[in-house]
Amino acid sequence: MKSRKFRADEILFSPTAQCNLRCGHCDIKKYPVNLPKQTAIKFIAACAKAGIKRLGFTGGEPFLALDFLCAITKEAIRCNMLFSRIMTNAAWFKTKNELMSSLERLFKAGYDGDICISVDAFHKQNLQKIALFIKTVSEIWNRQDMVSIAAVKGALDNQTKKRLKDLKRLLNTRLFIRIFYIELSPIGKARRLKNAWGNKWFKDDFCKGPGNVFFVLPNGAVKPCCGYGNDADMLTIGSIKRDTPQKLLRNAEKNLFVSEIFKEGLHPIRQALERSGIRFPGKTANHCFFCYYLTNVIPRPTLKYLKSKSQG
């Protein structure tokens, strides 16, 4: 049996941290740095040669970096890559003409992956804009299955259900739209919305869900995860401005925290910290929240344990 370790199955670009919304659960820092196109293009070519064949976009709001989206789409096609999805709030545009011209540029660039829209009680965007966005996408790509929806669950669920029903009425057309539900991790501003510490511990999945990606931030830093804790310094494995894909993988192996959670899981860290005297506020079924807690609330004890283990 092969030992578990971090691998990169996909590049996930966050070209900008800027966004037209200010959602009550979002903890992304809005700093004015955009990822350079040429740096990303060079990285894509290197990843393709290393066998990575999948690419996607998130943010911030990625459509606020349209030039980047189109340039990277063209390069990904040149490198024979597949597209996963673009995460968007679908309400970034000011006029219908701006929406149509932007989507037509992306279509002509060759993008044919999923376009996933965040719709829930936390994203307060105009539903009529979302409906217009969805209809315009289906017309330009001439596909009924181009769009999916991501909705946060775990708080304000009744309001989320109402927004989804209202959107369905506004569309009033036959479109195949998949809905993905994402468990709310109460970090940052979302802490006040839900008590994450319940009576059940999560089941280790060795980050097979959000992990195993090169998550590239607007400043070029790379994380092995697109989850809620990706801004933590402990998760940084390098930068596309100076590191090759191979170097990033080696860095991940050398990163005490990253290698531990991918090889052994989060529970051994929890148990060791408890033996050292650390007491958690409760149990949590959300392993992403627990990872955030380790990297942001008690990073020093976590690193102290990992260093002592590596030296022992």
Side-chain angles (χ1 to χ4, degrees):
M1 179 179 174
K2 293 183 179 179
S3 62
R4 288 182 292 263
K5 65 178 181 179
F6 168 73
R7 64 185 188 279
D9 296 329
E10 177 180 354
I11 314 168
L12 188 60
F13 284 112
S14 175
T16 179
Q18 299 303 302
C19 185
N20 56 301
L21 300 182
R22 295 293 182 270
C23 300
H25 71 310
C26 181
D27 202 43
I28 295 176
K29 298 176 179 64
K30 308 296 190 294
Y31 54 91
V33 176
N34 288 347
L35 191 60
K37 290 182 291 185
Q38 291 306 316
T39 303
I41 286 171
K42 182 179 178 181
F43 183 66
I44 290 171
C47 284
K49 289 180 181 179
I52 300 171
K53 295 295 184 181
R54 201 167 183 85
L55 183 150
F57 304 95
T58 186
E61 173 48 60
F63 275 98
L64 297 182
L66 183 62
D67 287 346
F68 183 95
L69 290 189
C70 294
I72 299 312
T73 291
K74 291 176 182 178
E75 178 64 14
I77 292 171
R78 190 189 72 79
C79 293
N80 199 29
M81 281 190 167
L82 301 173
F83 297 107
S84 55
R85 65 183 58 170
I86 299 174
M87 290 297 305
T88 178
N89 60 52
W92 43 267
F93 58 94
K94 293 182 174 63
T95 66
K96 184 177 180 180
N97 286 339
E98 180 189 3
L99 170 64
M100 291 191 67
S101 64
S102 298
L103 291 179
E104 284 172 354
R105 277 189 63 189
L106 186 62
F107 173 75
K108 290 176 181 177
Y111 184 79
D112 62 357
D114 182 53
I115 298 179
C116 187
I117 306 170
S118 298
V119 184
D120 49 47
F122 303 100
H123 294 79
K124 303 291 186 180
Q125 72 270 55
N126 188 317
L127 291 179
Q128 291 182 335
K129 273 193 163 185
I130 297 178
L132 177 60
F133 180 93
I134 293 172
K135 290 177 182 178
T136 306
V137 167
S138 64
E139 290 170 4
I140 291 176
W141 271 266
N142 193 26
R143 281 176 52 183
Q144 303 300 302
D145 64 343
M146 189 78 181
V147 172
S148 62
I149 287 175
V152 170
K153 71 173 183 177
L156 309 181
D157 288 344
N158 289 335
Q159 295 179 40
T160 293
K161 290 177 182 178
K162 183 179 185 305
R163 281 181 65 79
L164 291 172
K165 287 181 181 178
D166 290 344
L167 177 60
K168 183 179 179 180
R169 282 194 292 269
L170 285 172
L171 287 170
N172 192 28
T173 184
R174 291 185 177 181
L175 292 172
F176 178 74
I177 300 178
R178 292 158 293 175
I179 300 179
F180 302 94
Y181 289 97
I182 303 169
E183 185 71 27
L184 174 70
S185 274
I187 67 171
K189 291 186 289 184
R191 282 182 178 179
R192 68 186 184 277
L193 297 172
K194 176 188 172 186
N195 178 17
W197 300 100
N199 297 310
K200 182 179 179 182
W201 280 116
F202 56 88
K203 181 179 179 181
D204 263 322
D205 73 346
F206 308 98
C207 294
K208 291 178 182 177
N212 289 310
V213 299
F214 282 148
F215 184 73
V216 186
L217 296 177
N219 62 4
V222 181
K223 313 286 183 171
C225 171
C226 62
Y228 292 94
N230 62 45
D231 62 335
D233 290 338
M234 284 170 61
L235 288 171
T236 301
I237 58 173
S239 170
I240 68 169
K241 294 179 179 179
R242 61 177 181 271
D243 297 321
T244 64
Q246 294 83 358
K247 180 68 183 306
L248 292 171
L249 291 173
R250 291 195 294 271
N251 290 346
E253 281 287 306
K254 295 176 182 177
N255 183 302
L256 296 176
F257 185 68
V258 171
S259 61
E260 181 77 3
I261 61 176
F262 277 92
K263 289 179 180 178
E264 304 296 335
L266 288 164
H267 276 303
I269 300 176
R270 173 185 67 80
Q271 292 163 349
L273 291 174
E274 287 178 331
R275 287 195 297 270
S276 72
I278 297 291
R279 291 292 173 262
F280 299 104
K283 299 179 180 180
T284 178
N286 190 326
H287 67 279
C288 288
F289 169 68
F290 189 70
C291 180
Y292 170 86
Y293 192 84
L294 292 180
T295 56
N296 287 269
V297 180
I298 55 170
R300 288 186 179 180
T302 302
L303 281 176
K304 183 179 179 181
Y305 155 68
L306 293 170
K307 287 179 180 178
S308 64
K309 180 182 178 183
S310 67
Q311 292 167 357

